[in-house]
Amino acid sequence: MKKDVRDYYGQTLQSSADLQTNACCDAAPPAWLKPWLAMLHDEVVSRYYGCGLVAPQQLEGMRVLDLGCGSGRDVYLLSALVGERGEVVGVDMTPEQLAVAERHQAYHQQAFGHARSNVRFVQGDIEHLDELGLESDYFDIVVSNCVINLCTDKARALNEVFRVLRPGGEMYFSDVYGDRRMPDMLLQDPVLYGECLSGALYWQDFLTLARQAGFLDPRLVEDRPITIGNDHIRARLAPARFFSATYRLFKLAGLEPACEDYGQAVIYRGTLPESPSAFVLDNHHRIERGKVFPVCGNTWRMLHDSRFAGHFEFIGDFSTHYGVFPDCGSRMPFTSDSFITPVGGCC
């Protein structure tokens, strides 16, 4: 299947118009990103096949790794956001896609006003970052955009991400998930797999693999249902439903399996340029500037022990435990699903 995926993205697809479904189609970008996106080279953008946006905040000076970078759209977008002091490395197994990315390196260096290029590209499998010379505990952030579903060894890919992230770093990525496991005959279909559908993880299996890799408290940032605009493919996959979802996974030792209440709170200073009025950690934590916001121990640590620490005031410690926050459950998390009602509480 790996060769089929390489051929599909390297030879079959020549632009996003060649896709047979809308699974690998981007959502509308936020306003603050649009000026940067407008500066990207047309060929780089036309060969983009992502399902979401992978531009987290507070990137200045960060080291970022993009898994399955393809033609380099996200690499170059991130290169503008990290600035000259930062570094962005793109990894992809498809030589045709990397050729597109590499021939526009000088173009983007000049477009962003950098004295030198702050990006580099590496050809290889994202499941084998250890074979590509990528150091342990090196990157501040790892991103990927509609790529983990294409991996044949998803557990190894997540384990490698955990290895290369520094403590306190995070994986911030968009991907496709299903509401059930796919039968083997669909997993072997190169078109269904290449369209990011039959290889999509069942959401519970993703959470299990993430925790096994060391990401103990996965946080869903946003999600949307995927509508398959191809009658034949939709019929073959029915009744399965699919979702595009963005998660953030923090590399923090000792996170707890539930939202435990220690009487802690945070106050957002409003100092992130893209979020002057409120900071969104995930789909249950929109923290308004200047307001005391109660949080569980895990959330407190995600802010206190990460690159976001300077943007918050922190209240409390871990000396007294008050039990678990209400509604800390384990049902399907995607609030865009019409059958799911959002729950309250810290989690």
Side-chain angles (χ1 to χ4, degrees):
M1 186 55 68
K2 189 181 295 291
K3 181 181 183 302
D4 291 329
V5 171
R6 185 185 296 115
D7 292 344
Y8 197 68
Y9 282 86
Q11 299 174 23
T12 303
L13 299 180
Q14 297 302 308
S15 76
S16 56
D18 296 326
L19 290 164
Q20 297 189 46
T21 74
N22 62 354
C24 296
C25 295
D26 210 348
W32 67 271
L33 272 182
K34 290 180 179 179
W36 298 112
L37 289 167
M39 298 172 71
L40 302 182
H41 194 282
D42 289 344
E43 186 182 21
V44 166
V45 174
S46 70
R47 296 290 293 268
Y48 164 77
Y49 308 118
C51 65
L53 288 167
V54 288
Q57 296 171 312
Q58 186 62 23
L59 293 182
E60 179 70 30
M62 297 289 110
R63 295 170 174 171
V64 183
L65 174 64
D66 182 2
L67 302 180
C69 66
S71 63
R73 192 206 77 159
D74 290 339
V75 167
Y76 288 122
L77 175 63
L78 294 165
S79 77
L81 300 178
V82 303
E84 280 190 291
R85 294 188 301 108
E87 175 187 7
V88 186
V89 178
V91 174
D92 202 274
M93 68 176 180
T94 311
E96 294 88 349
Q97 287 279 76
L98 288 178
V100 174
E102 289 175 334
R103 66 171 163 260
H104 298 300
Q105 195 163 343
Y107 171 91
H108 291 96
Q109 175 189 335
Q110 294 173 9
F112 301 140
H114 295 163
R116 60 175 183 82
S117 177
N118 59 354
V119 309
R120 64 186 176 96
F121 296 96
V122 180
Q123 184 176 340
D125 296 339
I126 67 174
E127 299 100 316
H128 298 282
L129 300 178
D130 54 334
E131 299 176 3
L132 305 180
L134 299 179
E135 302 174 32
S136 299
D137 303 324
Y138 180 80
F139 291 97
D140 299 289
I141 303 161
V142 174
V143 302
S144 74
N145 202 333
C146 205
V147 171
I148 300 299
N149 70 85
L150 297 172
C151 291
T152 53
D153 190 343
K154 296 173 174 62
R156 183 178 175 89
L158 290 171
N159 287 337
E160 278 295 284
V161 170
F162 190 85
R163 179 184 67 80
V164 301
L165 275 175
R166 67 168 182 80
E170 71 164 311
M171 183 183 190
Y172 186 98
F173 71 111
S174 295
D175 220 292
V176 177
Y177 301 91
D179 69 345
R180 66 198 67 203
R181 299 181 182 114
M182 292 292 101
D184 288 343
M185 67 175 184
L186 297 182
L187 287 171
Q188 301 306 315
D189 186 300
V191 172
L192 295 182
Y193 205 97
E195 290 283 330
C196 305
L197 293 168
S198 67
L201 276 169
Y202 167 47
W203 68 273
Q204 279 282 30
D205 290 341
F206 159 69
L207 296 177
T208 297
L209 291 178
R211 290 168 179 140
Q212 289 174 346
F215 299 111
L216 302 179
D217 188 358
R219 294 296 179 92
L220 176 64
V221 179
E222 60 183 3
D223 64 274
R224 60 184 174 86
I226 289 175
T227 57
I228 302 171
N230 180 302
D231 292 341
H232 175 69
I233 291 178
R234 185 170 60 250
R236 291 198 64 196
L237 293 167
R241 291 174 292 147
F242 297 89
F243 304 84
S244 171
T246 299
Y247 273 94
R248 61 194 330 158
L249 310 176
F250 284 90
K251 183 177 179 176
L252 292 168
L255 293 181
E256 300 186 88
C259 292
E260 303 294 346
D261 185 359
Y262 293 92
Q264 296 163 308
V266 298
I267 303 174
Y268 175 49
R269 302 179 190 273
T271 46
L272 284 164
E274 302 85 5
S275 301
S277 59
F279 173 78
V280 177
L281 175 68
D282 55 49
N283 68 344
H284 280 80
H285 294 82
R286 184 181 185 276
I287 306 172
E288 293 184 33
R289 182 189 65 224
K291 182 179 181 180
V292 176
F293 190 94
V295 294
C296 69
N298 285 358
T299 299
W300 195 91
R301 290 199 55 211
M302 288 174 185
L303 300 172
H304 184 273
D305 299 344
S306 73
R307 69 188 189 281
F308 297 118
H311 299 283
F312 290 86
E313 297 176 42
F314 295 90
I315 300 169
D317 53 29
F318 289 87
S319 59
T320 304
H321 181 227
Y322 297 96
V324 69
F325 270 91
D327 297 320
C328 189
S330 59
R331 59 182 175 176
M332 189 162 77
F334 305 135
T335 55
S336 61
D337 180 6
S338 61
F339 293 95
I340 300 298
T341 302
V343 296
C346 175
C347 62

